[in-house]
Amino acid sequence: MNARTEPAPAEPDAIARPPLLREFLLVAGLFLVYKVGRQLAAGHTGEAFRNAHGVWDFERALGLPGEGAVQSLLLHGDGAVHLANTYYAAVHFPATAAFLIWLYLRRPAHYLRARRVLAALTAAALVLHLLFPLAPPRMLASTGLVDTAREFGPSVYGDPAADSLSNQFAAMPSLHFGWALMVAVGLIAATRSHRRWLWLLHPALTLLVIVGTANHYWLDALVAAALLGSALAVVRPVTASVRSALPFRFRHRTTGTAVRAQDRAAPAREPATAPQEEQTLVGAGR
C-alpha cells in the first residue's frame, strides 16, 4: 500500500475528547471505590505498628537518612511548618484534579493515558494497603518525630481510633507523592516549553512535605515511584491503543483528516499512460 492510500497515524492531540459526563462519573466512581477500599484496610492496628517498626529499621539498614533530618528544617519556625501542613492538606487533590481537567480540555490523548495510569497506580496502592497496613512515622514514639499537623495545624486527620473518614494506617505507598510525580510526568510529556521540567518541583516539594511532617517514610515514596513506573510501562500511549476504542465517527474523522493531509502534501504525478492494449489497437489502426 503506497503513501497515497495508507492512512497516517493520528497525532495524539487529534484524538477527540471522551464524553464529559462519562469521565466525571468514572473518576468519581474510582475515587469512591478507593475510599471504601481504604476503610476495608482499617482495623489492623497491631499489624500496622509492627510493620512500621520493620520499615523504620529497614531504612536504617539501607543507610537512608532519618526522616527527622527533614523535619528539623521545618521546626526552625512556625511559618515553615504551618506552610508544609497546609501544602499537605490542600494541594494533593486540587492539583491532581486541575491536572486532569487541563489535559481533558487541551490534550485529550494525554488525558486518557494519564487517567488510566492514575487509576492503575491507585488500584495497586489499594491492594498494598490491604496487604501491608502501615502506621505513619508520626505515630511511632520511638522515632522522636513530631506530629506537626496536630501540633501546629492545619490537620486533615482526627484521632485514629475515632476517624471514620480515612484510614491512617495506609502509609505505603504514598499517593501524595505518586500522584504528584504523575502530574509532573504528564505535564512534561504534554507540553513543549523549555521550562516544563520545573514541574518536577511539585513532587520534590511533596516529598519533603510528606517526610518532614512525619506522615510518610522515604520508602513510601520509593514504592509509589516504582508502582507509577510500572503503570506507565503497562499503559501504552494513546496513539497506539485508543484509536480503535473510540466511537466510529471519531476514528473516521481523524483518519480522514490524515489522508486528506497526505493528499495535499503529495507531489503531483504525471498523467498515467494509456494501457498497453489500447496503445496496440491505436497503432494497428494506423
Side-chain angles (χ1 to χ4, degrees), residues 50-221:
R50 286 193 299 271
N51 291 336
H53 286 290
V55 167
W56 182 266
D57 293 339
F58 184 62
E59 284 189 342
R60 307 293 78 80
L62 290 177
L64 293 176
E67 285 80 356
V70 179
Q71 187 173 88
S72 63
L73 297 176
L74 299 180
L75 296 179
H76 280 305
D78 291 353
V81 69
H82 185 80
L83 183 61
N85 291 332
T86 302
Y87 193 93
Y88 181 87
V91 174
H92 176 48
F93 284 108
T96 308
F99 163 69
L100 289 174
I101 291 171
W102 186 84
L103 287 183
Y104 179 86
L105 296 175
R106 302 294 299 273
R107 303 289 189 274
H110 289 279
Y111 162 79
L112 287 168
R113 190 186 188 206
R115 188 251 287 157
R116 292 176 176 180
V117 169
L118 284 172
L121 169 63
T122 305
L126 177 57
V127 172
L128 193 52
H129 292 163
L130 293 168
L131 297 177
F132 192 78
L134 181 65
R138 58 185 166 83
M139 293 185 182
L140 294 182
S142 60
T143 65
L145 297 173
V146 177
D147 187 345
T148 60
R150 179 168 294 186
E151 294 291 331
F152 301 94
S155 176
V156 295
Y157 301 120
D159 185 351
D163 190 354
S164 60
L165 297 178
S166 61
N167 175 20
Q168 298 187 43
F169 300 104
M172 181 181 290
S174 168
L175 284 181
H176 268 74
F177 180 74
W179 287 11
L181 186 58
M182 180 59 210
V183 168
V185 170
L187 289 174
I188 290 172
T191 57
R192 294 293 178 267
S193 170
H194 293 298
R195 293 190 294 270
R196 66 186 184 278
W197 297 100
L198 292 177
W199 287 113
L200 290 173
L201 291 175
H202 176 43
L205 183 57
T206 300
L207 178 60
L208 294 179
V209 165
I210 63 176
V211 172
T213 58
N215 281 292
H216 287 283
Y217 307 89
W218 295 111
L219 281 179
D220 297 341

